[in-house]
Amino acid sequence: MKRIAGAAVVILLYSAIVFYFGWGVAKWLDLYLPINTWLFSFVWGILAFGFFIGRISHKLRLFSIIGSYWFIVMQYGIILFPIATILLWIFPTHLNLIGWLVCGIFLFVLIFGTYNAYTPVVRELSIVMPKKGSKPDSIKVVVASDFHLGLLSNKAHLTRFVKKANAQKPDLVLLAGDLVDDDPIWFVEKGMSEVMKQLQSTYGIYGVLGNHEYYGKKIPLLVEEMEASNVHMLLDETILVADSFYLTGREDITNKNRKQLSELAPEEKDLPWFVMDHTPSNLLIPENEKVDFHVSGHTHLGQMWPNHLFTRRIFELDYGYRQKGSLHAIVSSGFGFWGPPIRLGSQSELWSINIKLEDVEV
């Protein structure tokens, strides 16, 4: 009963915000052309609830796309519409100018945010860690996360990743979760596997699950497709790679039954230990377990400004690189995006890390 009541409150609140936004837009548009209230309300409702309509069936994917872009309106409308209302109280005869100002800001967000989303960059980093018994003197690692492959983070965007990753000539590729946007259906239907197969790496390509794979509830299909794409999925397991380092892939924290990191630790600590964990929930654990290299994603660095202010408070490390004792930790903002193909305050990226293995004191 409490859940139903809570859901009702959320729906009412959301509907009230949608009405407030729609009322402001209708008032502005009415300056230029007569507005049919019923027609406008119907179209506005489709825009506002398109994301939910699209979840009903894959055949309604157009509504999913519309709904994804609607998140831009919600994200920045919360900021811009109240400011516009206050300005109208102060300058009641300037609805025309204020409307165009708001429209211009949304247009800027759309253009600049789309550029950041579809123009990925390579973040380069060099670190030094103990060689222990490892054979190579260095390992070039490409790290990427949060592809959310689907309708908007599509085959063309995956192709960008493969080209940039291969250009780094990596020894190891680590894909740190949220590889697909909930359901792997578009990965399958759009033939993205053929693109993923083009990834090249000396020691292989490895991936882990993220929270969105759990939301999609088609993990067996996802794992099957990734394995067919030459991406070896690690689900709470530790493997020895090329007799040179241990690699652990953790189930996401969404899985309440996932193993403790201590259960996945290699019996011998005679080689460097790398760990993939989609959500950077607690870096103290891998630090205490003597992990050497830890990679995560999940945060998107907020994806759209100013959401990074929230991720910064939630996670000890919400983005970038940090060394804690012998632990080297990296959190990527992701190569793809969730919802709209928009990034402000962040940019789609992959990391290229040159790990130098030396006989150093731990």
Side-chain angles (χ1 to χ4, degrees), residues 138-181:
S138 66
I139 302 174
K140 172 71 76 68
V141 184
V142 162
V143 174
S145 70
D146 302 277
F147 291 83
H148 290 273
L149 293 169
L151 292 171
L152 294 171
S153 182
N154 50 26
K155 188 175 182 178
H157 197 51
L158 178 59
T159 300
R160 295 184 187 102
F161 169 72
V162 171
K163 288 181 178 179
K164 285 186 175 293
N166 286 345
Q168 300 303 309
K169 296 180 169 44
D171 297 308
L172 180 69
V173 175
L174 301 179
L175 307 180
D178 279 1
L179 305 182
V180 298
D181 197 26

Side-chain angles (χ1 to χ4, degrees), residues 276-328:
M276 284 188 290
D277 188 354
H278 176 65
T279 304
S281 52
N282 188 347
L283 293 182
L284 183 62
I285 293 175
E287 180 187 9
N288 290 340
E289 292 295 334
K290 303 303 180 183
V291 172
D292 296 291
F293 185 59
H294 190 277
V295 299
S296 301
H298 182 64
T299 70
H300 291 221
L301 189 56
Q303 186 168 321
M304 294 191 290
W305 180 92
N307 295 338
H308 68 286
L309 298 177
F310 298 101
T311 61
R312 186 182 297 171
R313 293 184 65 85
I314 294 171
F315 301 99
E316 175 187 355
L317 177 65
D318 73 324
Y319 176 71
Y321 164 75
R322 180 176 298 175
Q323 182 174 1
K324 296 187 66 179
S326 61
L327 173 69
H328 299 269

Side-chain angles (χ1 to χ4, degrees), residues 45-65:
I46 291 295
L47 294 175
F49 291 92
F51 181 80
F52 306 101
I53 296 172
R55 306 284 287 190
I56 298 173
S57 170
H58 296 304
K59 295 179 180 179
L60 300 173
R61 57 183 176 273
L62 177 60
F63 291 95
S64 294
I65 294 173

